[in-house]
Amino acid sequence: MKPTIRDVAKMAEVSISTVSRVMNYPDSVVESKRKRVMDAVQKLQYQPNAFARGLIFKKSFTLGLLIPDIENLYFAGIIRGMQDACIKLGYSLMICNTDRDKERLLSYIDNFHEKQVDGIVFASDVLYPEYYDKLVGCRIPFVLLSSHTYDYEIPSIEVDDEAAAYDAVKFLIELGHKEIGMIGFNHDNSIAGPPRYEGFIRALTECGLEQNIGKIRYANHRFEHAYEAAHELFTAYPELTAVFCVADEFAMGTISYLKDRNIHVPGQVSVVGFDNLRMSSMFIPKLTTIAQPIYELGYRAAEKLHELLVTGSVAILRERMDHRLIVRESSREK
Amino acid sequence: MKPTIRDVAKMAEVSISTVSRVMNYPDSVVESKRKRVMDAVQKLQYQPNAFARGLIFKKSFTLGLLIPDIENLYFAGIIRGMQDACIKLGYSLMICNTDRDKERLLSYIDNFHEKQVDGIVFASDVLYPEYYDKLVGCRIPFVLLSSHTYDYEIPSIEVDDEAAAYDAVKFLIELGHKEIGMIGFNHDNSIAGPPRYEGFIRALTECGLEQNIGKIRYANHRFEHAYEAAHELFTAYPELTAVFCVADEFAMGTISYLKDRNIHVPGQVSVVGFDNLRMSSMFIPKLTTIAQPIYELGYRAAEKLHELLVTGSVAILRERMDHRLIVRESSREK
DNA sequence: TCCTTTTTAGAAAACCTTTTCAAGGGGATT
DNA sequence: AATCCCCTTGAAAAGGTTTTCTAAAAAGGA
C-alpha cells in the first residue's frame, strides 16, 4: 500500500493537517514538529496523492497535445519544445496522435476531458465546428498551433505561411527560373494549403510569371503521395526547371521521383522545401527549404496556453513567428 | 463549472447512485430512468471525474512511456503501436522524452509516480541500478522495450539483436564482400551495442573473414556522428567494399559521407542499415536494412505491461519478436 | 500576575465518485 | 390471500487531501 498522509501523521505523532501544512507551507509549522514530519515523509517515501489533490484544486497540472501524425518529424520538434516548456511551467504533458482521423480526435477530446487536462494545444489541423463545439462543450481552454481560425476568437500561433511561400518562390525566381511548379497540400483538409498557395501565386504575379499559375499538383501529407504528384506534375509540364514543395517530405518525394527519372537535382531542376525537418540536412542533396522555428513553436504554444489558463486571456490573439530561408544543395541558378 | 454526478441526478430526478449505475452497469437500471439519465448526461456533456474515480479505484488507467529521443523515427513507430494498444485496453498514454539525460529520466519517474500511472514502458535504454531502485521504490510496475536485463527479473520485449546483426553481415558476405566494416553504437551507454557487435563478429568468424574484426567505428545515435565515424572508418580502411550500420540513421550518415567523397553506393560500397524506419524507403538510394517490427513492439509492450498489471506476472519474461532483412538499393553483389 | 493578542495545531467539511447495505415494491408461488 | 424472493433504488460511507474554523497555547503588555 502506498503510504498516505495519515501514515505520516501517525509516525510523526501530529495531525494530518500539520502534515499537509508542512508539505505546502513549511514556515507555518514550528521547527520541532516540522522536522518530525519531514523525517517521516522521507522514511515512508511519501508522495501526496494526485487524485485527492486534483479533486480539491480542480486542476490536473497536465496539458494535452493533439497532433495529426507522430511519424512526421515536424511534430517531434513540436513535442520537444512543448515538453520543455511544460517542465518549466510545472505541467505534465499528454500527447495524442490522431492519424488525421476525425472520430479519433473527438474521442481523444473526451479522453482529455475525463482526465481533466487543464488545457489543450491543437496542432496543425483545421478547427472544424464539431471540434470547436466539443471543446467548448467540455469547457477546456485551448490554443491553435500552426493553425488559426477567423470564425472564433481562439488564440493561435504559427508562421506566416503566405509570406513564407512567397519568399520561397521569390528565391527561385531570383535564381532565374521561369518555369516553376508547385506540390501543394489539398485545400480541403489542410490549414496550410490555401495560404501557401496564395504565396506561390503572389510571387508569380508580381514577377510576371502568370503562365505558371496552374502548374500545381496536390498531395496528401506523405512522401509517397508527393512522389505520385511529382510524376503527374512533370508529365503535364516537362518544361519545369524548379518546384516549390510545401513540405520537406514533399521535396524528398519529388527529388526521389526525379532521381528515378534520371533528372538531376539541382542540375536540371531546383527544389525548395518547407519546414526544415532534421532530415532535410541528411537528405541527398541537402534540402533548400523554408525553416520554421519548430521547437520554439511548441514551446511558445505551451506558454501561451499557460497564459490563457492563468489570466483567462492572452496578450496576442493571433501570434506569428518568423520563418527564414535556408539555402542548401537542392537549388541552383538557372 | 463542470457538471458533476449530482447535477445529472438532479436533472434526471434520480439519486446519484442511479446515475453511477447507468454509467457503469446500464442493465441494472430500469429503461425509463436509464433514458432520463442518459438524456441528462447528453445534455450536460457530463463526464465522470477521473480524480474521484482514481481515488476509489487507486488506478489512473494511464500508462507511462519513457523514450530516449523523440526525434528518432524509431520511437514514433513505437508510440503509434503503443497508443493503439492503449486505446484497445482502455488506457491513456503519457509520453516522456528523456533526451538521454539521467536526471531528466529520474525526474520523469517522480512525475509518473505523482500522477499515479499504473505502469511504465521503459524503452531502448540501459536499466541502470538508480533507475531500477527508483522504480521499485515507487512501486510502479514496468516492462523493458528494446532492452533487457539479466540483473533483475524484469519483463522485456525486443528483437534478437545478435541474430539480426548476424543476418545483415551474412547477407553482405553472401553478396561476395570480403572487406566489411561496421558503424556501431558505443557499448557503454547503449543496450543494442554489444549484441549487434557480437552478431557482426560471429558472421565474420564463421566465414573466415577475421581480418575485418577491428574495422569498426562507433557513433552516438545521430546522423552527424555517423558521418564522422564513416570518415574515420574509411580513412583507416579505404579497402572496404561494404559497411554494416547498426541503425538506419547511421546508414544515411555513412552514405552521405560516401557521396561527399564521390564514392558510389551501392556501386563501390554496399551499406546495410538496421530498423527500417519510414525514412529508409525515402532515402536515395533506398536502404537495404534489417526491419524491426516497430509498431508491433510498441503494441506488444503495452499488452505485456497490461498483463503484468492485471495478473501480477507475465507469461514470457524475456520475449523476442522476429526481424527480417529487406533488400533495397543500397547493397549490391561484389 | 492577569488580560489581550498572536501563533500554532487539531477537528471537520468539502471535493466527486463507487459500492455496500438496507428497504420498498412487485411478481410468483403456495 | 399470504409469504417469499428478486429487482430496483436510495442513503451513506469511503477514498486522500486541503482548508476553514475553532481552540489552545504562547507571547506580550500593563
Side-chain angles (χ1 to χ4, degrees):
Chain A
M1 269 334 296
K2 281 205 168 63
T4 74
I5 199 172
R6 263 196 187 72
D7 301 318
V8 178
K10 196 173 295 173
M11 178 176 284
E13 301 184 301
V14 295
S15 74
I16 61 167
S17 331
T18 301
V19 177
S20 174
R21 270 187 283 259
V22 171
M23 301 298 290
N24 297 288
Y25 321 93
D27 290 345
S28 71
V29 174
V30 81
E31 166 68 21
S32 64
K33 297 203 181 185
R34 187 181 10 174
K35 183 162 182 338
R36 294 215 308 268
V37 170
M38 293 199 312
D39 287 350
V41 166
Q42 193 61 243
K43 205 175 301 179
L44 292 169
Q45 284 225 42
Y46 168 72
Q47 174 101 38
N49 183 316
F51 299 135
R53 307 188 83 216
L55 208 47
I56 288 169
F57 293 131
K58 297 174 190 309
K59 288 194 64 177
S60 59
F61 301 97
T62 299
L63 301 184
L65 171 62
L66 247 17
I67 53 172
D69 180 8
I70 192 144
E71 289 196 284
N72 185 321
L73 279 172
Y74 181 75
F75 297 105
I78 295 287
I79 291 172
R80 280 193 58 235
M82 185 157 168
Q83 191 150 56
D84 284 355
C86 281
I87 291 175
K88 186 191 69 173
L89 298 168
Y91 292 101
S92 299
L93 180 57
M94 203 153 225
I95 301 159
C96 289
N97 174 46
T98 66
D99 277 340
R100 305 185 193 280
D101 180 318
K102 246 179 177 174
E103 284 314 305
R104 195 150 174 162
L105 191 151
L106 255 10
S107 97
Y108 278 138
I109 295 178
D110 274 334
N111 203 256
F112 282 153
H113 185 202
E114 188 209 329
K115 287 286 176 4
Q116 320 259 345
V117 301
D118 298 333
I120 294 178
V121 171
F122 184 96
S124 294
D125 205 351
V126 181
L127 183 66
Y128 293 110
E130 302 113 279
Y131 302 164
Y132 176 82
D133 292 341
K134 178 140 219 154
L135 255 359
V136 169
C138 294
R139 301 170 194 74
I140 308 181
F142 64 101
V143 304
L144 268 24
L145 170 56
S146 297
S147 179
H148 65 264
T149 172
Y150 291 104
D151 299 337
Y152 318 98
E153 295 282 292
I154 301 295
S156 59
I157 181 158
E158 59 185 336
V159 297
D160 186 336
D161 284 305
E162 198 272 346
Y166 172 89
D167 289 351
V169 179
K170 195 73 189 286
F171 168 73
L172 288 170
I173 295 171
E174 282 167 357
L175 285 179
H177 292 279
K178 302 247 178 278
E179 298 294 335
I180 305 174
M182 165 171 156
I183 308 281
F185 288 130
N186 291 315
H187 284 203
D188 51 345
N189 69 349
S190 89
I191 191 79
R196 294 187 194 173
Y197 168 81
E198 297 298 340
F200 176 69
I201 299 298
R202 180 159 66 93
L204 292 179
T205 5
E206 245 182 62
C207 304
L209 296 172
E210 289 88 348
Q211 81 272 15
N212 293 309
I213 284 181
K215 298 177 181 173
I216 303 180
R217 287 297 178 274
Y218 297 97
N220 218 344
H221 300 285
R222 288 269 174 134
F223 174 83
E224 308 84 67
H225 303 133
Y227 186 101
E228 283 308 313
H231 172 61
E232 289 173 27
L233 186 69
F234 277 88
T235 306
Y237 309 104
E239 70 276 16
L240 295 176
T241 66
V243 188
F244 166 52
C245 296
V246 300
D248 282 349
E249 196 160 333
F250 286 6
M252 297 184 206
T254 301
I255 293 173
S256 191
Y257 166 76
L258 292 170
K259 164 91 184 172
D260 289 352
R261 282 279 306 278
N262 279 314
I263 298 175
H264 187 250
V265 175
Q268 295 164 269
V269 171
S270 286
V271 176
V272 173
F274 201 115
D275 286 343
N276 192 33
L277 304 183
R278 191 167 71 86
M279 277 291 153
S280 316
S281 56
M282 299 172 45
F283 204 68
I284 303 175
K286 299 184 177 67
L287 297 183
T288 291
T289 191
I290 295 287
Q292 293 200 50
I294 303 180
Y295 176 92
E296 290 76 13
L297 280 165
Y299 198 97
R300 192 62 199 110
E303 287 185 327
K304 205 173 180 72
L305 181 54
H306 176 67
E307 182 188 354
L308 179 64
L309 294 175
V310 171
T311 68
S313 72
V314 113
I316 311 168
L317 190 68
R318 295 188 182 87
E319 190 172 338
R320 289 265 171 86
M321 293 192 86
D322 292 333
H323 61 272
R324 74 178 201 284
L325 179 74
I326 296 186
V327 180
R328 294 204 189 91
E329 301 168 355
S330 66
S331 57
R332 181 178 294 177
E333 284 194 16
K334 179 64 199 166
Chain B
M1 272 330 299
K2 281 206 167 66
T4 74
I5 199 171
R6 258 190 193 76
D7 301 317
V8 178
K10 197 172 294 173
M11 178 176 286
E13 301 185 300
V14 295
S15 73
I16 61 167
S17 331
T18 301
V19 177
S20 173
R21 270 185 284 259
V22 171
M23 300 300 289
N24 296 289
Y25 321 93
D27 290 345
S28 72
V29 174
V30 81
E31 165 69 23
S32 63
K33 297 202 183 189
R34 186 181 4 166
K35 185 164 179 337
R36 293 215 308 268
V37 170
M38 294 197 315
D39 288 349
V41 166
Q42 193 61 241
K43 205 174 305 177
L44 292 169
Q45 286 228 42
Y46 168 71
Q47 179 84 210
N49 183 314
F51 298 134
R53 307 189 82 215
L55 208 46
I56 289 170
F57 294 131
K58 296 177 190 308
K59 288 191 64 179
S60 60
F61 301 98
T62 299
L63 302 183
L65 171 61
L66 246 17
I67 53 172
D69 180 8
I70 191 138
E71 289 197 286
N72 185 321
L73 279 172
Y74 182 76
F75 298 105
I78 295 287
I79 290 172
R80 280 192 59 232
M82 185 156 169
Q83 190 150 57
D84 284 356
C86 282
I87 290 175
K88 186 191 70 173
L89 298 168
Y91 291 102
S92 298
L93 180 56
M94 203 152 224
I95 301 158
C96 289
N97 175 47
T98 66
D99 276 340
R100 306 186 193 280
D101 179 318
K102 247 179 178 171
E103 283 314 304
R104 194 148 174 163
L105 191 150
L106 255 11
S107 98
Y108 278 138
I109 295 179
D110 273 332
N111 203 254
F112 282 153
H113 183 204
E114 189 209 327
K115 287 288 179 356
Q116 321 257 346
V117 301
D118 298 332
I120 294 178
V121 170
F122 184 96
S124 294
D125 204 351
V126 181
L127 183 66
Y128 293 109
E130 301 113 278
Y131 302 164
Y132 177 82
D133 292 341
K134 177 138 221 159
L135 255 0
V136 169
C138 294
R139 303 170 191 76
I140 308 181
F142 64 101
V143 305
L144 267 25
L145 170 57
S146 297
S147 179
H148 64 263
T149 172
Y150 292 105
D151 299 337
Y152 318 98
E153 296 282 292
I154 302 295
S156 59
I157 180 158
E158 59 185 336
V159 298
D160 186 336
D161 283 306
E162 196 273 346
Y166 173 88
D167 289 352
V169 179
K170 196 73 191 284
F171 168 74
L172 287 171
I173 295 171
E174 283 167 357
L175 284 179
H177 292 279
K178 302 248 180 280
E179 298 294 335
I180 305 174
M182 166 172 153
I183 308 281
F185 288 130
N186 292 316
H187 284 204
D188 51 345
N189 68 350
S190 89
I191 192 81
R196 293 186 194 173
Y197 168 82
E198 296 297 338
F200 176 70
I201 299 299
R202 180 159 67 93
L204 292 179
T205 8
E206 244 182 63
C207 304
L209 295 173
E210 289 89 347
Q211 82 271 16
N212 293 309
I213 284 181
K215 299 178 181 171
I216 304 180
R217 287 299 177 275
Y218 297 98
N220 217 345
H221 300 287
R222 287 271 175 133
F223 174 85
E224 308 84 67
H225 302 134
Y227 187 101
E228 283 309 311
H231 172 62
E232 290 173 26
L233 185 69
F234 278 87
T235 305
Y237 310 103
E239 70 276 15
L240 294 176
T241 67
V243 187
F244 165 52
C245 295
V246 300
D248 282 349
E249 197 160 332
F250 286 7
M252 296 184 207
T254 300
I255 293 173
S256 192
Y257 165 76
L258 293 170
K259 166 89 184 175
D260 289 352
R261 282 280 306 276
N262 278 315
I263 299 175
H264 187 251
V265 175
Q268 295 164 270
V269 171
S270 286
V271 176
V272 174
F274 201 115
D275 286 343
N276 191 33
L277 304 183
R278 192 169 70 86
M279 276 292 153
S280 316
S281 56
M282 297 172 45
F283 203 68
I284 303 174
K286 300 182 176 69
L287 298 183
T288 291
T289 190
I290 294 288
Q292 293 201 50
I294 302 182
Y295 176 91
E296 290 75 12
L297 281 165
Y299 197 97
R300 194 59 202 112
E303 287 185 327
K304 206 174 181 73
L305 181 55
H306 175 68
E307 182 188 355
L308 178 65
L309 294 176
V310 171
T311 68
S313 71
V314 113
I316 312 167
L317 189 69
R318 294 188 183 86
E319 191 172 337
R320 289 268 171 86
M321 294 192 87
D322 293 334
H323 62 271
R324 72 178 203 287
L325 179 75
I326 297 186
V327 180
R328 295 205 188 91
E329 301 168 354
S330 66
S331 57
R332 183 179 293 176
E333 285 194 14
K334 180 63 201 165

